[in-house]
Amino acid sequence: MATKQLEKEVLKALQCIKNGENFIIEGGAGSGKTYSLISLINTLTEELPNIRIVCITYTNNAVAEILSRIENENLRVSTIHEFIWSLIGKYQDEIKNILTELINDEGEKSFKKPKDYGEELIYKDYFKEFYVDYDEYYSVTPNDKNVVKISHDHIITIAEKMFEKYKKMADILKDSADCIFVDEYQDTSPLVADILLKHLKQSSKKNVIGFFGDSMQAIYDNGVGDLTQYRLTKIVKKQNRRNPRVVIEVANKFRDDGIEQIPSEDINAPNMENGTIRAGSIKFLYGNETDDFISIKKKAIFDFWDFSNGKQTKELRLTHKYNAEMAGFKDLYDLYNADLITTLISKIKGKIDKGGLDNDKTLGELALEEKPIFNREDLLDQINRDDTYQSVYRILADMSWVEAYAKCRVTKESLMSYKLNGMSGKYEANSYRDRILRRLDILEEIIELYEDDKFNEFLRITKFSIRNREDKICLKQAIDYLVKEDDKTIEEVLSFAEEKGLLDEDDLFSDYILNAGFYLWERIKRITFKQYRKSILYLKEFSPICTQHSVKGSEYDNVLLILESNWNKYDFNTLFGKGSPNPTVQKRTKKLFYVCITRAKRNLIIYLPTQDSEILGKAKEFFGEENVLPVSSIS
């Protein structure tokens, strides 16, 4: 790549590297920060073929994107957690020393002792015979392979303590990398920033740390947010290559860091048409809490929006709860997040743990005996009134507390634990996903492979055998039955798939639904298979509905942003001078709003259920009086 073709921001970064200065490239939404990162790496590779570069980023997706655009055997790209573990994982004795210190530190509440450990302090050599590994969950109780596990969050805490205590760690890291680049720095833990900018500074060896990101897009509370305290050389990217003019103008009003974006000067930028920037459109709609949003989306203002195409049009809501209802899997979502019987059991368990109840009784006896602990919720009455719960509760109520508790395991995180693996390019379940959902996932993969004509892969994961034309006809009929959008239950579908030979029998699944998954199966088997499939569409982001947090880094032609203000962490009324007086809530809300509106490549519509004249007055200042409209006025 010739130097004259480089962006001026990349040229400044190159100069920083030559001067041995740590730097930060800061740019708003759509400014092409990742493009600059890749351009910088490619240029360094051409000019200095032996330079060793480490690039760390937030997600597997981002790792895959960067690797696909760069060829360099001296470049290492990984997620932050993989990078950290690669630094510390081999130093098992040091990890164990730090882990022991943290568990014994009363101020570190997240580092819990192994189960059933009776002594006040973990003794120094407790972990000596065990291997420490990392996973998505923390469990320092050794398993049958003598392995204890620390979670993603625990890794970073341990690593920072190791760099602080063992000064040689900084020399080792500097020896392995001439440059370390951090993409989406604002989402990085403050502890990672301390490792790179405080602990490495104490080493006499030289390397350069470069950060790429946008403090206005720091929407996660555990991220560093900004790096002002470290006094890095700051390089600002002002051009916007994504958004139409009206979105750029509005978004600038919500930045509070002095950066004012301008349209890209590149005539080939995505937001340019016929040599000029796309104008775009913004509308701010307002109405009442009781408005029927399904009816609103049928109004003329949405005539050219394709709400069936989740890659082109997105409806952004704050939480999975509302989204699940709109996306068509409310019952399934409620089972994992708002189930009455598991809530009842959780409350009883809390009382038992505090010594307030005798667990040598049946679940039914405990529920009746301590009914007052449920206060106004009156869970038992709700359960007894609801047909969804009655039959299974009668079975559980007669069980001993110990047995009932063992059979009612519902992991809240399980339903949403199905994400894209950036390295494999496939959607996969993680360790939280329960065995019932995993069995449904296998069936879903079978259906998808058949529909995509990937018959070799299809035959590898299914029991079904194709010997003649009649088998092909039977297979087609079976798949047609499964994908038909009717009210078949999950139980009916799994039984059918086993009967037709699409799914192998699974003894572990059979054991699970009789024991630890008994209650979950009794509830989920009555839910429609259609709801499960809609949850998969949602998790794969094929659904036009998604959370406001999940769209960071994405872009769509049309964005409908629903502002809901009845949450303790967010209050969208604060954008318009009303609502929560809490500065943290105000700042958090503004950043999330900024991220959401800057996803739009063409059209942006914002909806807020309000009639407050002060809010509407402020909205007219932001969006223009002609663009602030009551829903009732739209045909």
Side-chain angles (χ1 to χ4, degrees):
M1 181 180 291
T3 302
K4 64 180 180 180
Q5 295 176 310
L6 296 176
E7 300 172 306
K8 58 181 179 293
E9 295 88 3
V10 173
L11 289 171
K12 289 178 181 177
L14 282 170
Q15 192 59 50
C16 286
I17 292 168
K18 291 173 183 176
N19 295 342
E21 298 174 8
N22 295 336
F23 66 90
I24 178 170
I25 290 185
E26 183 96 20
S31 61
K33 297 179 292 295
T34 302
Y35 175 83
S36 296
L37 168 61
I38 291 169
S39 177
L40 178 60
I41 293 172
N42 278 327
T43 304
L44 287 169
T45 300
E46 290 179 14
E47 293 186 3
L48 303 165
N50 296 320
I51 192 170
R52 296 161 303 171
I53 302 171
V54 169
C55 180
I56 56 178
T57 189
Y58 199 67
T59 66
N60 282 325
N61 236 358
V63 169
E65 180 189 355
I66 292 169
L67 284 173
S68 71
R69 293 163 67 178
I70 298 175
E71 289 185 15
N72 179 355
E73 62 183 20
N74 291 323
L75 168 68
R76 179 176 171 199
V77 186
S78 68
T79 63
I80 291 167
H81 296 97
E82 288 169 349
F83 172 69
I84 293 294
W85 184 248
S86 73
L87 297 178
I88 70 171
K90 65 187 80 169
Y91 305 111
Q92 286 283 311
D93 289 342
E94 289 78 5
I95 289 176
K96 293 168 188 176
N97 290 340
I98 296 294
L99 180 58
T100 302
E101 290 176 14
L102 289 166
I103 290 174
N104 288 332
D105 183 351
E106 292 185 0
E108 291 286 351
K109 301 298 183 184
S110 66
F111 283 84
K112 300 186 184 302
K113 296 175 184 176
K115 289 179 182 175
D116 304 323
Y117 188 88
E119 298 183 31
E120 282 193 14
L121 298 177
I122 296 287
Y123 58 87
K124 185 175 182 294
D125 293 328
Y126 176 83
F127 293 110
K128 186 175 181 180
E129 303 301 321
F130 308 132
Y131 179 78
V132 181
D133 203 349
Y134 90 98
D135 202 341
E136 291 172 69
Y137 59 92
Y138 172 85
S139 176
V140 289
T141 301
N143 63 21
D144 55 3
K145 296 180 180 178
N146 275 359
V147 174
V148 298
K149 294 183 178 181
I150 53 179
S151 77
H152 286 164
D153 291 339
H154 294 88
I155 285 175
I156 293 175
T157 303
I158 289 171
E160 194 275 331
K161 295 290 184 188
M162 287 176 68
F163 271 85
E164 182 179 42
K165 185 171 184 176
Y166 305 110
K167 305 302 181 184
K168 268 301 219 188
M169 295 288 296
D171 288 337
I172 292 168
L173 174 52
K174 282 195 169 185
D175 278 340
S176 68
D178 300 304
C179 295
I180 300 174
F181 299 142
V182 182
D183 192 23
E184 299 290 351
Y185 80 82
Q186 70 276 358
D187 297 326
T188 304
S189 165
L191 297 178
V192 173
D194 282 346
I195 290 171
L196 297 177
L197 296 174
K198 186 169 75 174
H199 298 314
L200 289 197
K201 192 175 182 180
Q202 297 171 8
S203 170
S204 60
K205 300 183 179 183
K206 297 292 184 182
N207 72 349
V208 173
I209 316 295
F211 296 88
F212 300 73
D214 181 10
S215 61
M216 269 305 293
Q217 297 186 65
I219 59 176
Y220 301 108
D221 289 344
N222 56 355
V224 69
D226 67 65
L227 297 169
T228 306
Q229 61 176 305
Y230 294 103
R231 298 181 180 178
L232 305 171
T233 299
K234 189 170 183 178
I235 303 166
V236 176
K237 291 198 76 175
K238 290 189 175 183
Q239 294 187 42
N240 183 308
R241 301 170 54 85
R242 174 197 299 149
N243 302 128
R245 183 179 297 280
V246 289
V247 171
I248 294 173
E249 291 171 353
V250 168
N252 280 336
K253 296 176 183 179
F254 290 92
R255 291 198 71 97
D256 54 13
D257 58 358
I259 295 178
E260 184 170 338
Q261 286 195 290
I262 58 175
S264 173
E265 296 170 358
D266 180 0
I267 60 171
N268 296 313
N271 57 358
M272 302 291 279
E273 292 179 344
N274 301 319
T276 59
I277 186 170
R278 183 183 298 124
S281 70
I282 289 184
K283 298 295 179 189
F284 180 94
L285 308 182
Y286 62 93
N288 300 304
E289 294 281 355
T290 56
D291 285 338
D292 175 9
F293 216 82
I294 294 176
S295 299
I296 291 174
K297 288 196 293 186
K298 293 177 181 177
K299 290 180 177 286
I301 198 170
F302 294 109
D303 276 354
F304 299 102
W305 290 36
D306 183 2
F307 280 101
S308 67
N309 185 347
K311 295 297 182 184
Q312 183 186 73
T313 299
K314 280 294 186 201
E315 177 181 337
L316 310 183
R317 292 172 176 268
L318 189 55
T319 67
H320 290 306
K321 178 182 176 182
Y322 282 132
N323 287 352
E325 182 173 0
M326 299 301 293
F329 60 102
K330 180 181 186 300
D331 296 334
L332 192 59
Y333 182 84
D334 286 348
L335 168 58
Y336 284 90
N337 293 274
D339 183 79
L340 296 181
I341 289 179
T342 54
T343 302
L344 171 73
I345 286 176
S346 175
K347 288 181 177 290
I348 293 175
K349 174 72 164 52
K351 192 79 170 181
I352 289 172
D353 289 346
K354 292 177 181 177
L357 283 177
D358 179 5
N359 67 358
D360 190 23
K361 293 181 179 179
T362 67
L363 170 63
E365 288 170 339
L366 289 172
L368 285 170
E369 181 179 328
E370 288 298 322
K371 191 175 174 184
I373 68 172
F374 310 134
N375 301 323
R376 290 171 297 174
E377 292 173 290
D378 211 0
L379 283 171
L380 197 54
D381 287 345
Q382 291 182 56
I383 290 167
N384 287 324
R385 286 196 306 267
D386 193 327
D387 293 340
T388 306
Y389 297 101
Q390 280 181 2
S391 59
V392 66
Y393 181 70
R394 281 196 289 268
I395 297 171
L396 292 169
D398 290 335
M399 293 181 184
S400 69
W401 162 253
V402 174
E403 183 182 7
Y405 179 71
K407 287 180 178 286
C408 290
R409 303 290 174 85
V410 177
T411 303
K412 181 178 180 180
E413 296 84 359
S414 181
L415 182 63
M416 311 312 288
S417 296
Y418 187 80
K419 301 177 187 292
L420 180 67
N421 182 328
M423 304 308 289
S424 69
K426 294 177 63 176
Y427 281 86
E428 299 171 354
N430 67 22
S431 59
Y432 288 114
R433 195 84 163 162
D434 61 62
R435 195 168 288 278
I436 298 172
L437 290 176
R438 285 175 185 268
R439 189 147 178 82
L440 290 167
D441 295 342
I442 294 170
L443 182 57
E444 178 67 16
E445 185 178 4
I446 288 170
I447 293 170
E448 289 176 7
L449 290 173
Y450 177 85
E451 292 182 329
D452 292 341
D453 294 333
K454 297 179 179 178
F455 293 113
N456 288 334
E457 292 177 57
F458 169 86
L459 292 171
R460 275 198 293 270
I461 68 168
T462 183
K463 184 183 169 187
F464 196 94
S465 59
I466 302 176
R467 294 155 299 193
N468 50 48
R469 184 172 179 276
E470 191 170 318
D471 287 340
K472 291 182 180 179
I473 294 171
C474 289
L475 176 58
K476 183 180 186 308
Q477 289 173 341
I479 298 294
D480 287 346
Y481 170 83
L482 292 172
V483 300
K484 185 178 179 182
E485 282 217 0
D486 55 16
D487 291 331
K488 293 185 297 291
T489 66
I490 284 171
E491 181 179 35
E492 289 170 342
V493 163
L494 288 179
S495 296
F496 176 84
E498 291 169 6
E499 177 190 331
K500 295 297 181 181
L502 292 169
L503 284 176
D504 282 325
E505 291 183 8
D506 184 344
D507 291 339
L508 291 175
F509 173 78
S510 300
D511 179 72
Y512 177 77
I513 64 176
L514 289 173
N515 295 292
F518 171 80
Y519 176 68
L520 180 59
W521 175 245
E522 288 298 313
R523 289 275 285 107
I524 202 173
K525 70 182 184 182
R526 296 175 171 84
I527 294 173
T528 63
F529 183 57
K530 176 172 62 179
Q531 287 205 35
Y532 161 79
R533 298 204 79 202
K534 287 186 180 295
S535 76
I536 293 296
L537 286 175
Y538 176 75
L539 292 168
K540 287 185 174 182
E541 297 186 16
F542 293 151
S543 167
I545 299 168
C546 63
T547 61
Q548 292 164 4
H549 286 79
S550 68
V551 293
K552 191 160 112 35
S554 301
E555 53 187 37
Y556 311 96
D557 284 345
N558 309 305
V559 171
L560 168 60
L561 174 58
I562 313 297
L563 304 184
E564 300 144 334
S565 291
N566 55 334
W567 303 95
N568 58 359
K569 283 192 170 185
Y570 300 92
D571 185 349
F572 289 104
N573 288 330
T574 63
L575 299 170
F576 309 99
K578 301 291 287 284
S580 173
N582 185 324
T584 302
V585 170
Q586 294 172 9
K587 188 174 183 180
R588 185 189 288 130
T589 303
K590 181 187 288 187
K591 289 186 174 184
L592 183 60
F593 180 77
Y594 175 83
V595 166
C596 290
I597 65 174
T598 53
R599 301 309 98 195
K601 295 194 294 181
R602 293 182 180 275
N603 306 302
L604 171 66
I605 294 180
I606 300 163
Y607 172 76
L608 177 65
T610 186
Q611 298 290 337
D612 188 293
S613 59
E614 291 181 45
I615 289 176
L616 297 177
K618 196 69 176 176
K620 289 172 183 176
E621 290 180 27
F622 288 138
F623 307 108
E625 187 164 355
E626 70 282 6
N627 294 319
V628 178
L629 307 167
V631 165
S632 58
S633 71
I634 301 170
S635 60

